[in-house]
Amino acid sequence: MSKRHVLITGLPGVGKTTIVKKLCKELQTPISGFYTEEVRDSKNVRIGFDVVSVDESTRGVLARISDPNKNSKYTIGKYQVYLTEFEDCALLQLQGPDLLVIDEIGKMEMFSSKFKHEIELCFKQDRIVIATVPLKCNITLVEQLKKREDCQLFTVDKQNRNHIFQEILQFIKKINI
Ligand SMILES: Nc1ncnc2c1ncn2[C@@H]1O[C@H](COP(=O)(O)OP(=O)(O)OP(=O)(O)O)[C@@H](O)[C@H]1O
């Protein structure tokens, strides 16, 4: 089976999203999907994460620092995941025939069984998926994706992050579907 999906992994903050954004700029093809972006307050303190559509027209909350007085089921570390807001924004971006960017498939997103289900379907469709995934995690779905024969895994680190972009770009340009 030929490889036709791209998984980009690496430590937190190494530059995965930056590479995906550069790929989207460079590829001359319709692209849908979403990025995950940090949200910082006026003092530059990180307060959470948003999901943003690739065309940047739609934004939704993924997580915010949790209120210790509120007892939420959906927390990762100090962050509370806003499940409905996340699903309302992210699930819509997965639809369509275009090349698909999913940045990222991580622990916070795994609270959504709808999201997990949709991701599994996306990798079975006739479209190219470019997804970012954590380097080390106990997420079954991510481990399964890494083992798929039709997925090519690229590992980003500080040494290669300035040139691996070209390698990934050439790989995508050669995919025939
Ligand atoms: N090649 C690079 N050289 C220098 N700084 C970079 C490079 N790539 C990314 N950065 C910087 O590192 C920070 C994190 O980048 P980015 O959000 O792309 O990482 P990430 O791996 O997607 O992070 P996360 O794990 O939080 O999703 C940003 O401030 C970005 O400007």
Side-chain angles (χ1 to χ4, degrees), residues 70-85:
K70 277 191 189 164
N71 196 4
S72 169
K73 273 198 293 186
Y74 309 121
T75 56
I76 297 284
K78 60 184 174 180
Y79 298 102
Q80 178 189 340
V81 175
Y82 285 55
L83 200 55
T84 310
E85 285 85 341

Side-chain angles (χ1 to χ4, degrees), residues 20-44:
V20 173
K21 285 187 171 174
K22 273 174 81 177
L23 291 169
C24 290
K25 262 195 183 169
E26 204 72 23
L27 289 162
Q28 302 289 320
T29 178
I31 303 175
S32 45
F34 69 87
Y35 308 115
T36 302
E37 289 185 356
E38 284 186 350
V39 180
R40 291 181 179 264
D41 68 10
S42 55
K43 292 175 188 151
N44 208 31

Side-chain angles (χ1 to χ4, degrees), residues 3-175:
K3 298 199 183 279
R4 60 198 198 91
H5 300 306
V6 170
L7 295 178
I8 302 176
T9 194
L11 289 171
V14 74
K16 300 180 291 297
T17 301
T18 305
I19 289 171
V20 173
K21 285 187 171 174
K22 273 174 81 177
L23 291 169
C24 290
K25 262 195 183 169
E26 204 72 23
L27 289 162
Q28 302 289 320
T29 178
I31 303 175
S32 45
F34 69 87
Y35 308 115
T36 302
E37 289 185 356
E38 284 186 350
V39 180
R40 291 181 179 264
D41 68 10
S42 55
K43 292 175 188 151
N44 208 31
V45 174
R46 187 164 78 184
I47 55 166
F49 301 90
D50 278 353
V51 284
V52 185
S53 62
V54 165
D55 66 5
E56 305 207 359
S57 66
T58 313
R59 177 179 286 267
V61 176
L62 170 61
R64 288 291 183 270
I65 290 179
S66 54
D67 178 345
N69 298 316
K70 277 191 189 164
N71 196 4
S72 169
K73 273 198 293 186
Y74 309 121
T75 56
I76 297 284
K78 60 184 174 180
Y79 298 102
Q80 178 189 340
V81 175
Y82 285 55
L83 200 55
T84 310
E85 285 85 341
F86 165 69
E87 287 179 343
D88 284 350
C89 182
L91 293 178
L92 266 182
Q93 311 309 322
L94 302 179
Q95 309 305 319
D98 306 340
L99 186 152
L100 178 62
V101 162
I102 310 167
D103 171 34
E104 71 171 33
I105 306 171
K107 273 188 187 167
M108 290 183 178
E109 294 81 0
M110 290 303 102
F111 285 120
S112 169
S113 36
K114 285 183 196 163
F115 180 75
K116 279 197 270 188
H117 178 69
E118 286 299 321
I119 295 297
E120 281 169 350
L121 292 180
C122 290
F123 277 83
K124 291 175 187 160
Q125 293 167 349
D126 287 340
R127 58 204 297 221
I128 299 171
V129 179
I130 304 174
T132 64
V133 293
L135 187 61
K136 288 177 188 150
C137 63
N138 290 321
I139 304 171
T140 309
L141 174 60
V142 171
E143 296 310 320
Q144 285 168 349
L145 294 176
K146 284 180 181 175
K147 285 182 190 146
R148 282 181 68 107
E149 284 186 7
D150 57 357
C151 287
Q152 179 68 46
L153 183 69
F154 293 91
T155 304
V156 182
D157 58 35
K158 282 199 173 169
Q159 281 69 47
N160 72 12
R161 66 184 181 182
N162 287 324
H163 56 82
I164 200 169
F165 156 75
Q166 274 301 338
E167 201 185 314
I168 303 172
L169 182 65
Q170 294 316 316
F171 175 84
I172 295 167
K173 284 184 173 175
K174 282 186 193 151
I175 299 172

